Amino acid sequence: MTRSLAILGATGSIGASTLAVVEEVNTRAAARGEPVPFTVDSLTANTDATAMIALAGQWRPAFVAMADPLAGAQVREALAGSGIEVGIGPGACDAAAARPTDVVMAAVVGAAGLAPTLVAARRGATVLLANKECLVCAGPLFLAEARKAGATILPTDSEHNAIFQVLGDPAQVEKLILTASGGPFRTASADQIAAATPEQAVAHPNWSMGRKISVDSATLMNKGLELIEAALLFDMPEERIEVLVHPQSVIHSLVAYRDGTQLAQLGCADMRIPIAHVLAWPSRFETSVQRLDLAAVGQLTFEAPDHARFPALGLARAALRGPPAAPTVLNAANEVAVESFLARNVGFPEIAAIVAETLTQASRRGLDGALASLDDVMAADAAGRALAREEVARRAR
Amino acid sequence: MTRSLAILGATGSIGASTLAVVEEVNTRAAARGEPVPFTVDSLTANTDATAMIALAGQWRPAFVAMADPLAGAQVREALAGSGIEVGIGPGACDAAAARPTDVVMAAVVGAAGLAPTLVAARRGATVLLANKECLVCAGPLFLAEARKAGATILPTDSEHNAIFQVLGDPAQVEKLILTASGGPFRTASADQIAAATPEQAVAHPNWSMGRKISVDSATLMNKGLELIEAALLFDMPEERIEVLVHPQSVIHSLVAYRDGTQLAQLGCADMRIPIAHVLAWPSRFETSVQRLDLAAVGQLTFEAPDHARFPALGLARAALRGPPAAPTVLNAANEVAVESFLARNVGFPEIAAIVAETLTQASRRGLDGALASLDDVMAADAAGRALAREEVARRAR
């Protein structure tokens, strides 16, 4: 009954929510005199040694890994004599994923999550997928490897988890409808958006998130990346995935069936809800998260996304229709562009412009082709970054 | 692949929607060169001979039954020589249900639907349940017989069908949330409601329905009866079923799980959607019903029901907590009270008052006890009607 768990990216916000759910469901089970649902076998992080030392003390995992060498040395020193093995460097994070745990929460942010998540998938683990890059940058490769190994991939992102919860026979599905808050500039004019500052862009209305992903939410690129993820995860052509702006973020996504029915998952904006779902799947856990009270919410609103003010969605669709590595290039270019925006080197509307130009250049030079190996992924990613940096430089001049 | 179908109540609105779906899915299958999903074996109706003659000509069933003798004679004459057998009287409707069809649409309105639907359940058919009285008046009996015979009961009412579509493991369910349009008096003051005329009461905002059920929608007794149905159908205690007023009738109901997730079924207000679902279940049919476009709808609103202006919900809950036949008495009393209101013998707020008084009297006299047989059902129904008529007479004086 007790399953062992590895958390890749344990000190981030998804890691914290995962441990909060594990703590609650373990405590409830213990209070009932039942075996706890989870033991925490391994935790990984990048640089936050202080947080990792605290987590290790609380959870007593068998193994912790720090990607950053200095942080790793600090954790190793703090945990000396504790009996907890400490690995250092990116290879140690892969080693955490390779341990024979039942479940792996893949919550590393960014391209760094790719390699360890692939390791977990390749050994046939149950992977709770919260890392975007596995699908956006390496989707066809990642899914093929997971299928080959018999891994179970459970979507943990709130939108994809919502779809997963109401997805029946794919042959009966007419379309997937991804909801989007619309971000902080939903009601802003084109002029206001042109003048947007990093401070305005990172102020997300509903979810508390990091700076990069907050900017992605402001450009709607976040939804574009999710559209790519959904297309791969649910094997659905781009034209059958719709984006619906829904500022209250109460309906987390919908599936439309060919008989006119739409099924939806709703809840408060709390990542513990999808996390509890994938941790318990195919059952459910009782949790104490705040319950949705629609009468108290009062009103839900919906609107079509405005492609003129938010061109990122169209770019993501174009990348999906392109060669296998076009989404990899799109993602790399977007990271560079957002970084440049946050560093005040380019303006807000230039983020999409840089991505668009990078996609064009990559296609022209044939840099968006195959995705047969992790090397291909890395090459497309590097090409996207290099081209985007050129474009940033050109614009900054 | 082709299944045979009996429609009990073929000339009513559910009957018409059922035949519209059957026509569409049969036509689509034929166009693909596939066997049609349904043959229409038998049709029943009460009095509408003209409509039945037309349906018989179009669908060429093997058997039709008319409950009303005069209408039956008219249909028999019109179909003479057609090869279609015509049965006359309520027993003929039971005979239609007894024929060895794969599927029975139970769409007779009112207590008249009880006997033939029970016949279908007892022979282990797949019963598409659109008749309220089977559950409200005879729920424990009906469900026990269906279980014993191995019948499959598929909820066809839009709210119960919505719940059925998103209901997973009942052990994980925290509550069921039935949505209610709120009816034509949702925003009316207590004084306006006190002065409500039958004309005002039958003007339902979203669904086109008969007069009796429109008044039930205005009092919210319709939702009270659905609450009783849901409690029986899904074996859920009354206190775990909530009613949520949602004037747009887009979310047809929700299921709240113990992990904080709510799942919902949405769609346009078109009965062909739940009917297509139960006809195809566990698969789905492609249909041409209008698709829900939430961006075009723009806004969904929600509010808690007001028990002061709409006491019917509380009465239904009280009946559910009472002895087995209390809902039977409630339903009978409500029918008499609504009839009296439509005949202008009593005012609108007296509908609930008459039902409340009838429940009290029936309980005092022990008339709401067992429900072990159809005779018990009929006795409780008769007692409820008699007591309610006394109460109407007292008030009309």
Side-chain angles (χ1 to χ4, degrees):
Chain A
M1 287 301 302
T2 300
R3 293 185 297 161
S4 57
L5 174 67
I7 303 180
L8 313 178
T11 58
S13 105
I14 298 291
S17 294
T18 304
L19 287 168
V21 172
V22 169
E23 181 166 20
E24 179 173 3
V25 301
N26 277 2
T27 304
R28 284 181 189 271
R32 289 190 302 264
E34 293 170 7
V36 295
F38 295 102
T39 55
V40 176
D41 173 81
S42 36
L43 301 173
T44 82
N46 185 15
T47 57
D48 194 342
T50 312
M52 181 57 93
I53 293 164
L55 289 180
Q58 184 187 350
W59 290 96
R60 317 292 309 169
F63 183 70
V64 306
M66 299 299 292
D68 179 75
L70 290 178
Q74 203 182 330
V75 171
R76 185 172 282 169
E77 193 187 326
L79 299 183
S82 70
I84 300 172
E85 190 185 344
V86 178
I88 298 178
C93 296
D94 295 358
R99 293 171 64 88
T101 58
D102 300 303
V103 183
V104 177
M105 168 55 81
V108 172
V109 176
L114 207 52
T117 310
L118 198 56
V119 166
R122 277 182 176 146
R123 71 169 174 84
T126 293
V127 178
L128 317 185
L129 190 62
N131 167 278
K132 277 187 175 355
E133 284 70 15
C134 286
L135 291 169
V136 173
C137 308
L141 171 68
F142 176 75
L143 292 170
E145 297 277 349
R147 208 172 299 119
K148 209 166 65 187
T152 301
I153 307 295
L154 300 178
T156 307
D157 215 7
S158 79
E159 291 80 359
H160 303 95
N161 180 262
I163 289 171
F164 181 64
Q165 288 204 38
V166 294
L167 189 66
D169 176 5
Q172 309 301 335
V173 172
E174 199 162 80
K175 61 187 182 192
L176 309 179
I177 304 171
L178 283 171
T179 53
S181 74
F185 303 145
R186 181 176 61 87
T187 59
S189 68
D191 285 351
Q192 288 171 318
I193 291 175
T197 65
E199 290 69 27
Q200 291 167 334
V202 300
H204 191 275
N206 301 328
W207 298 87
S208 151
M209 305 184 299
R211 281 161 61 85
K212 156 69 168 57
I213 195 171
S214 291
V215 175
D216 286 347
S217 166
T219 59
L220 293 200
M221 183 59 91
N222 189 43
K223 211 50 57 175
L225 298 176
E226 289 176 7
L227 198 152
I228 293 170
E229 289 180 84
L232 291 158
L233 209 42
F234 304 114
D235 196 16
M236 191 67 58
E238 167 267 319
E239 65 272 16
R240 284 170 59 196
I241 310 178
E242 230 173 59
V243 172
L244 175 68
V245 175
H246 166 42
Q248 297 80 21
S249 297
V250 165
I251 297 185
H252 295 140
S253 279
L254 309 95
V255 175
Y257 290 89
R258 61 184 192 145
D259 61 1
T261 269
Q262 291 185 11
L263 301 184
Q265 191 264 358
L266 300 83
C268 295
D270 185 331
M271 281 306 295
R272 287 178 297 166
I273 295 175
I275 290 169
H277 178 256
V278 292
L279 281 171
W281 184 86
S283 185
R284 290 182 189 270
F285 287 129
E286 183 173 358
T287 69
S288 62
V289 299
Q290 199 194 331
R291 291 335 194 223
L292 174 64
D293 178 351
L294 280 175
V297 171
Q299 169 180 281
L300 304 180
T301 62
F302 307 92
E303 58 197 55
D306 177 355
H307 291 274
R309 288 180 304 144
F310 301 102
L313 272 182
L315 294 173
R317 289 189 186 276
L320 252 181
R321 289 190 304 264
T328 321
V329 171
L330 169 103
N331 179 68
N334 181 59
E335 285 197 13
V336 169
V338 171
E339 224 167 72
S340 305
F341 166 69
L342 286 173
R344 299 178 206 274
N345 292 327
V346 300
F348 185 83
E350 289 180 283
I351 298 172
I354 291 163
V355 172
E357 185 56 27
T358 302
L359 281 173
T360 303
Q361 290 299 331
S363 165
R364 195 166 294 164
R365 303 183 201 185
L367 298 171
D368 56 0
L371 263 195
S373 68
L374 212 46
D375 284 349
D376 288 346
V377 175
M378 296 310 172
D381 181 82
R385 284 175 203 276
L387 291 169
R389 283 201 193 99
E390 278 177 27
E391 185 60 24
V392 168
R394 208 180 59 72
R395 285 168 183 265
R397 243 178 270 143
Chain B
M1 288 301 301
T2 299
R3 292 185 297 160
S4 58
L5 174 67
I7 303 180
L8 313 177
T11 58
S13 105
I14 299 291
S17 293
T18 303
L19 287 168
V21 172
V22 168
E23 181 166 22
E24 179 174 4
V25 300
N26 277 1
T27 303
R28 283 180 189 270
R32 289 190 302 264
E34 292 169 9
V36 296
F38 295 103
T39 54
V40 175
D41 172 81
S42 36
L43 301 172
T44 82
N46 184 15
T47 58
D48 193 342
T50 311
M52 181 58 93
I53 292 163
L55 289 180
Q58 184 187 350
W59 290 95
R60 317 292 309 168
F63 183 70
V64 306
M66 298 299 290
D68 179 76
L70 290 178
Q74 203 181 329
V75 171
R76 185 172 280 170
E77 194 187 327
L79 299 184
S82 68
I84 300 172
E85 188 186 345
V86 179
I88 296 178
C93 296
D94 295 356
R99 293 172 64 89
T101 58
D102 300 303
V103 183
V104 177
M105 168 54 82
V108 172
V109 175
L114 207 50
T117 310
L118 198 55
V119 167
R122 276 181 177 146
R123 70 170 175 84
T126 292
V127 178
L128 317 185
L129 190 62
N131 166 278
K132 275 189 177 353
E133 283 71 15
C134 286
L135 291 169
V136 172
C137 308
L141 171 69
F142 175 75
L143 292 171
E145 297 277 349
R147 208 171 300 121
K148 210 166 64 188
T152 301
I153 307 295
L154 300 179
T156 306
D157 215 6
S158 78
E159 291 81 358
H160 303 94
N161 181 262
I163 289 171
F164 180 63
Q165 288 204 39
V166 293
L167 189 66
D169 175 7
Q172 308 301 335
V173 172
E174 199 161 79
K175 60 187 182 191
L176 309 179
I177 304 170
L178 284 170
T179 53
S181 72
F185 302 145
R186 182 177 60 89
T187 59
S189 68
D191 286 351
Q192 288 170 319
I193 290 176
T197 65
E199 290 70 26
Q200 292 166 333
V202 300
H204 190 275
N206 301 328
W207 298 88
S208 151
M209 304 184 299
R211 281 161 61 85
K212 156 67 168 59
I213 194 171
S214 291
V215 175
D216 286 346
S217 166
T219 58
L220 292 201
M221 183 58 90
N222 190 41
K223 211 49 57 175
L225 298 176
E226 289 176 7
L227 197 152
I228 294 170
E229 288 180 84
L232 290 158
L233 209 40
F234 304 114
D235 196 17
M236 192 65 60
E238 166 268 319
E239 65 272 15
R240 285 170 59 194
I241 310 177
E242 229 172 60
V243 171
L244 176 69
V245 175
H246 166 42
Q248 297 81 20
S249 297
V250 164
I251 298 185
H252 294 139
S253 279
L254 308 96
V255 175
Y257 289 90
R258 60 184 193 145
D259 61 2
T261 270
Q262 291 185 12
L263 302 184
Q265 190 265 358
L266 301 81
C268 295
D270 185 331
M271 280 306 295
R272 287 177 298 166
I273 295 176
I275 290 169
H277 178 256
V278 292
L279 281 171
W281 185 87
S283 185
R284 290 183 188 269
F285 287 129
E286 183 172 359
T287 69
S288 62
V289 299
Q290 199 193 330
R291 290 335 193 224
L292 173 63
D293 178 350
L294 279 174
V297 170
Q299 168 180 283
L300 304 179
T301 61
F302 306 91
E303 58 197 56
D306 177 354
H307 290 273
R309 287 180 303 146
F310 301 103
L313 272 183
L315 294 173
R317 288 189 186 277
L320 252 182
R321 288 191 304 264
T328 321
V329 170
L330 170 103
N331 178 69
N334 182 58
E335 285 197 12
V336 169
V338 171
E339 223 167 72
S340 306
F341 166 69
L342 286 172
R344 299 177 207 273
N345 292 327
V346 299
F348 185 82
E350 288 180 283
I351 297 171
I354 291 163
V355 173
E357 185 57 27
T358 302
L359 281 174
T360 304
Q361 291 299 331
S363 165
R364 195 166 294 163
R365 303 182 201 188
L367 298 170
D368 55 1
L371 263 194
S373 69
L374 212 46
D375 283 349
D376 287 347
V377 175
M378 295 309 173
D381 181 83
R385 284 175 202 277
L387 290 169
R389 283 200 192 101
E390 278 178 27
E391 186 59 24
V392 169
R394 208 180 58 73
R395 285 168 182 265
R397 244 178 269 141

